[in-house]
Amino acid sequence: MEIDLGANAFGIDFHPSKNLVAAGLIDGQLHLYRYDTESSLVRERKVRAHKESCRAVRFIDDGQRIVTASADCSILATDVETGASVARLENAHEDAVNTLITVTETTIASGDDKGCVKIWDTRQRSCSHEFNVHEDYISDMTVASDSMKLVATSGDGTLSVCNLRTNKVQAQSEFSEDELLSVVIMKNGRKAICGTQNGILMLYSWGFFKDCSDRFVDLSPNSVDVLLKLDEDRLITGCDNGIISLVGILPNRIIQPIGSHEFPIEDLALSHDNKFLGSTAHDSMLKLWDLEEIIEGANGNASGAADDSDSDNDGMDLDNDPKPSKGSKRKTKSKANPVDNRAFFADM
């Protein structure tokens, strides 16, 4: 099923328990849609959330609120039932906010175009810490929830690992010649997979982040803009040629195509029951793909028992030196100011 949003959507997210999907649009609008198993998408609500583009969308508080992040540097919380603005932080970052993820039930993280990552306590409505590791925009983030490590990728070509318990940077990869655009953690926490601008998937062994341990080149030269974890052995890729593919990791192979848009893929998300895959692209379309038949057809090809080709002591200890080597090429970017104690959201 699909629907024309009327404008390009930068981010989508599914409700954690209901058949609802939210989309953040380039014109600053937030759309909420209800879907069913009869191939129907119906818009429930449209909210003028931001002055500039809405780049990221996440349901929080068990689906009671939607948090959005924008190029206008603001973060907004919207009530799902009423569409009313619950709270807003006008200057959440010094630069455009590009990414937003849920860390725990009471914590979210946001990343901006300067390379700054901020951690927010939604109970206290305050920024608890920030990390200034990167020298270019934060392209994607994910969390190893068991160890509370946040993994971020950046346009500066590096991956970083930040310990959210100690609020310290624990590792940073060497600089890649290409921008790192997306990241997921797989293989029960033993591998971090990054999508790149030249279409190569870079596989990092956990604890050995200086350089990747493996590369998968079959998607090249199409930029891998989005990665979505399906399970510990399979992920879904969204590329700039508009193709969405099911990919196996270790053994590395393209299992099968899932679907396509006419233009580059912008975001991917899974419904609460994993029945539907949502996709948006530069064609203003929101598409929902029924994954049941796709997964059933691919199960015979997937091998969850395959061993990693590189064992290199996949422990959870991280590199001792978090910084890249001095000889690596770096871009010059100003750092964000130290964290302040502003409220997470100013009450409306």
Side-chain angles (χ1 to χ4, degrees):
M1 69 186 87
E2 63 183 51
I3 193 168
D4 190 340
L5 300 172
N8 291 345
F10 283 146
I12 58 172
D13 196 29
F14 283 90
H15 192 280
S17 59
K18 298 178 181 179
N19 289 358
L20 296 172
V21 58
L25 277 56
I26 192 173
D27 59 5
Q29 298 273 0
L30 169 65
H31 287 193
L32 183 65
Y33 293 88
R34 184 174 297 276
Y35 61 92
D36 56 35
T37 57
E38 303 300 324
S39 301
S40 174
L41 265 169
V42 178
R43 191 171 71 191
E44 294 272 304
R45 193 160 290 109
K46 180 172 73 172
V47 176
R48 178 65 177 177
H50 299 278
K51 298 175 184 177
E52 298 182 33
S53 60
C54 182
R55 293 186 175 182
V57 178
R58 286 292 182 271
F59 282 94
I60 64 169
D61 296 341
D62 295 323
Q64 297 180 60
R65 295 186 176 99
I66 303 172
V67 174
T68 53
S70 172
D72 64 15
C73 304
S74 69
I75 297 177
L76 171 71
T78 300
D79 185 89
V80 170
E81 292 297 326
T82 66
S85 297
V86 177
R88 181 189 297 270
L89 182 61
E90 289 291 351
N91 297 299
H93 284 254
E94 291 186 350
D95 213 323
V97 188
N98 195 50
T99 58
L100 186 70
I101 64 167
T102 302
V103 178
T104 68
E105 292 182 355
T106 59
T107 310
I108 61 173
S110 56
D112 68 24
D113 278 358
K114 276 189 176 180
C116 174
V117 174
K118 290 191 176 186
I119 311 300
W120 304 92
D121 186 329
T122 58
R123 295 166 301 183
Q124 301 296 323
R125 297 186 174 184
S126 62
C127 178
S128 60
H129 199 74
E130 73 176 58
F131 300 95
N132 293 290
V133 185
H134 296 282
E135 300 184 347
D136 209 333
Y137 69 97
I138 302 299
S139 56
D140 198 10
M141 297 183 292
T142 190
V143 173
S145 56
D146 291 345
S147 58
M148 288 299 289
K149 305 292 196 309
L150 184 144
V151 180
T153 52
S154 171
D156 65 12
T158 69
L159 169 150
S160 67
V161 181
C162 298
N163 189 323
L164 300 183
R165 291 196 176 108
T166 63
N167 292 327
K168 294 182 178 179
V169 179
Q170 290 201 253
Q172 186 174 13
S173 69
E174 298 287 350
F175 284 88
S176 169
E177 296 180 356
D178 229 349
E179 296 180 6
L180 302 187
L181 303 178
S182 46
V183 62
V184 293
I185 298 173
M186 298 180 64
K187 295 294 181 179
N188 298 305
R190 292 182 291 121
K191 298 291 177 180
I193 319 298
C194 295
T196 67
Q197 193 173 34
N198 64 12
I200 296 174
L201 293 185
M202 301 176 68
L203 282 65
Y204 291 86
S205 293
W206 194 270
F208 300 87
F209 292 104
K210 286 298 181 184
D211 197 4
C212 64
S213 59
D214 197 5
R215 298 171 187 260
F216 179 58
V217 301
D218 288 12
L219 296 166
S220 183
N222 300 301
S223 173
V224 183
D225 298 334
V226 190
L227 291 177
L228 180 65
K229 178 179 176 179
L230 181 60
D231 54 36
E232 296 301 330
D233 303 301
R234 296 172 295 175
L235 55 79
I236 300 170
T237 61
C239 295
D240 67 354
N241 62 354
I243 302 297
I244 304 168
S245 301
L246 183 64
V247 174
I249 298 297
L250 296 174
N252 303 327
R253 75 273 189 220
I254 298 176
I255 298 173
Q256 68 181 84
I258 291 176
S260 66
H261 287 253
E262 294 183 7
F263 294 97
I265 304 300
E266 191 63 51
D267 202 10
L268 300 169
L270 287 171
S271 62
H272 63 90
D273 54 4
N274 282 3
K275 178 177 174 57
F276 290 105
L277 167 70
S279 63
T280 59
H282 294 182
D283 55 10
S284 303
M285 300 300 296
L286 168 62
K287 297 186 179 184
L288 267 58
W289 311 89
D290 190 334
L291 281 182
E292 288 188 344
E293 291 185 2
I294 297 171
I295 293 175
E296 287 175 3
N299 274 341
N301 298 325
S303 174
D307 291 332
D308 295 1
S309 59
D310 55 333
S311 58
D312 56 40
N313 186 22
D314 291 329
M316 295 301 289
D317 293 332
L318 294 164
D319 299 329
N320 292 326
D321 181 11
K323 295 296 183 182
S325 63
K326 294 181 180 179
S328 301
K329 182 179 179 181
R330 303 176 70 99
K331 298 178 182 178
T332 302
K333 283 276 188 176
S334 61
K335 299 291 185 180
N337 290 335
V339 63
D340 55 32
N341 293 316
R342 293 174 297 185
F344 173 42
F345 293 128
D347 292 331
M348 302 297 293

